[in-house]
Amino acid sequence: MTTTRVPQSERTRVMRLRLLEAAVECLLERGWAGTSTTLVSQRAGVSRGAQLHHFPSKEALVLAAVEHVAERRTAELAVAAADLPAGEGRTRAVLAMLADHVTGPAFTAALELWVAARTDRTLMAAVAPLEQWLGRQTHRTTVELLGADDTDEAQRELVQATLDLVRGLGLAATLSDDRRRRDRVLDRWARVLDDQLPGSPR
Amino acid sequence: MTTTRVPQSERTRVMRLRLLEAAVECLLERGWAGTSTTLVSQRAGVSRGAQLHHFPSKEALVLAAVEHVAERRTAELAVAAADLPAGEGRTRAVLAMLADHVTGPAFTAALELWVAARTDRTLMAAVAPLEQWLGRQTHRTTVELLGADDTDEAQRELVQATLDLVRGLGLAATLSDDRRRRDRVLDRWARVLDDQLPGSPR
């Protein structure tokens, strides 16, 4: 039994992963409204029955897909964080990392989910806790990367403002490719942070 | 002829307005995917024929509706601006005005349109210029209200950052009622602006 169980669970894991990746692709290409479980199973090359077994509804599938991308993104952030310069330029590099996130597929997929959840109570009940968890995690990481003191009100609020600013930049980027404008805004904000955060590495 | 023409054009204007208001309500309640021209004509009490005469597609109707709300909102902002305090507290009051905007129906309706436009080329071709125009207008108004010097690079970038921050706060507000957090972030941001903008009224 043991020898067959392992490959079976591995096949299940791979199938689940294919469904999640296909769901994200579908969400990015066609948006929430254009995404259906049928389309996703076709794209993943997974039977409808197997798909329904893993994810009984479009909501469950898309939510798991966005969670999956967020987790992968969090892991990527941890790797990227290790390469950040110490000292001069660090603040700007942290902002560049955050900007990469909000102009990438994980943010865009999440944006589709957020907007759909606004008018869908069931979806919102699942999305809100996920977002709260992700928000806390991103806040904690940013505090660490910027060397901020989270017990200091001013510093905590500046980190929050940084994440709100970056989220706003991410939303703007879905409408037009405004990288040059974004870079200038982030250059400026890095200077403000270096000026305002005592522990900031200049 | 002249005596009948005037009421006719007035009836047309009222009918158009009813369609636009109904489209915004529908967008807020049901989102882009849940909005249809049939639902909007029913809600507006306007025949399908008349509706199609004014707006040949869902895209045309929703775009005009979002433009209509944006124009009304711009007019309301001008009125609110006249009541802003001079001197101390003005910066915070300007931020409160901007925050009211991004947590109100005009922003939420626009958000639905932006996200739909991301995966719809035809819609994006119409949405992008409207947003550029609105963005420039909001930037100009904010520069004026904050007494900033737009020819100064640093000041111009801080105004842009302010509008990106506020947009990010608006997006967060669609997910959870985080007014207290938002207020604290804006208190902090007002201090930063008062610190960084030489012409800022403290």
Side-chain angles (χ1 to χ4, degrees):
Chain A
M1 276 302 280
T2 319
T3 49
T4 57
R5 241 182 227 152
V6 177
Q8 175 60 35
S9 73
E10 176 60 16
R11 276 202 300 278
T12 301
R13 202 187 64 80
V14 168
M15 191 184 281
R16 197 173 181 279
L17 202 63
R18 281 224 306 269
L19 282 167
L20 296 178
E21 301 276 351
V24 171
E25 284 167 24
C26 206
L27 207 57
L28 294 178
E29 277 173 28
R30 295 162 182 258
W32 169 264
T35 297
S36 70
T37 50
T38 313
L39 267 174
V40 172
S41 352
Q42 279 170 3
R43 189 186 279 256
V46 168
S47 77
R48 280 286 283 163
Q51 179 255 298
L52 284 169
H53 173 73
H54 285 289
F55 304 105
S57 67
K58 169 178 166 180
E59 284 74 12
L61 173 59
V62 170
L63 193 72
V66 168
E67 203 171 348
H68 163 69
V69 184
E71 277 168 10
R72 195 176 53 198
R73 181 68 211 166
T74 304
E76 285 170 6
L77 276 179
V79 174
D83 288 335
L84 286 171
E88 207 189 336
R90 181 175 175 92
T91 304
R92 184 61 183 85
V94 172
L95 296 183
M97 237 181 83
L98 295 172
D100 280 349
H101 169 56
V102 298
T103 53
F107 180 84
T108 310
L111 181 61
E112 288 285 342
L113 193 66
W114 297 338
V115 171
R118 193 187 63 79
T119 51
D120 182 333
R121 271 167 188 273
T122 319
L123 192 57
M124 183 58 97
V127 170
L130 170 66
E131 284 311 317
Q132 268 167 27
W133 180 81
L134 280 172
R136 275 194 302 268
Q137 224 184 19
T138 311
H139 179 87
R140 207 159 40 224
T141 306
T142 311
V143 163
E144 272 174 36
L145 294 179
L146 290 174
D149 176 3
D150 207 35
T151 64
D152 179 276
E153 208 174 53
Q155 297 189 44
R156 187 172 61 245
E157 287 161 3
L158 282 170
V159 170
Q160 289 190 358
T162 300
L163 295 173
D164 286 306
L165 167 71
V166 166
R167 197 185 303 115
L169 288 169
L171 183 54
T174 66
L175 280 174
S176 62
D177 178 14
D178 61 346
R179 170 180 273 275
R180 286 176 60 193
R181 187 191 78 85
R182 184 168 63 244
D183 281 345
R184 282 195 301 268
V185 167
L186 291 175
D187 287 346
R188 181 63 48 195
W189 187 244
R191 290 203 207 180
V192 173
L193 284 180
D194 282 343
D195 190 45
Q196 305 262 334
L197 296 178
S200 182
R202 268 138 246 242
Chain B
M1 278 301 278
T2 318
T3 51
T4 56
R5 241 183 228 151
V6 177
Q8 176 59 36
S9 73
E10 177 61 14
R11 276 202 300 276
T12 301
R13 202 186 64 80
V14 168
M15 189 183 283
R16 198 173 181 280
L17 201 63
R18 280 224 307 269
L19 283 167
L20 296 178
E21 301 277 351
V24 171
E25 284 168 22
C26 206
L27 207 57
L28 294 178
E29 276 173 29
R30 295 162 181 258
W32 169 265
T35 297
S36 69
T37 50
T38 313
L39 267 174
V40 172
S41 351
Q42 278 170 4
R43 189 187 278 256
V46 167
S47 75
R48 280 286 282 163
Q51 179 254 298
L52 284 168
H53 172 74
H54 285 288
F55 304 103
S57 68
K58 170 177 165 180
E59 284 72 14
L61 173 58
V62 171
L63 192 72
V66 168
E67 200 170 351
H68 163 69
V69 184
E71 277 167 11
R72 196 175 53 196
R73 182 65 211 169
T74 305
E76 284 169 7
L77 275 179
V79 174
D83 287 336
L84 286 171
E88 207 189 337
R90 182 177 174 92
T91 305
R92 184 62 183 85
V94 171
L95 296 182
M97 235 181 84
L98 295 172
D100 279 350
H101 169 56
V102 297
T103 54
F107 179 84
T108 311
L111 181 61
E112 288 286 342
L113 193 66
W114 297 337
V115 172
R118 192 186 65 78
T119 51
D120 181 333
R121 271 166 188 272
T122 319
L123 193 56
M124 184 58 98
V127 169
L130 170 65
E131 283 311 318
Q132 270 168 25
W133 180 81
L134 280 172
R136 275 195 300 267
Q137 223 184 21
T138 311
H139 180 87
R140 207 158 38 223
T141 306
T142 310
V143 163
E144 272 174 35
L145 294 179
L146 291 173
D149 175 3
D150 207 34
T151 62
D152 179 275
E153 209 173 53
Q155 298 190 42
R156 186 172 63 245
E157 286 161 3
L158 281 170
V159 170
Q160 289 189 356
T162 301
L163 295 173
D164 286 306
L165 167 77
V166 166
R167 198 184 303 117
L169 289 169
L171 182 54
T174 66
L175 280 174
S176 63
D177 178 14
D178 61 346
R179 170 180 274 277
R180 286 176 59 194
R181 187 190 77 86
R182 184 168 62 243
D183 281 345
R184 282 197 300 269
V185 167
L186 290 175
D187 288 347
R188 183 61 50 193
W189 194 270
R191 288 202 208 181
V192 171
L193 287 181
D194 283 342
D195 190 46
Q196 305 268 334
L197 297 177
S200 181
R202 269 140 243 244

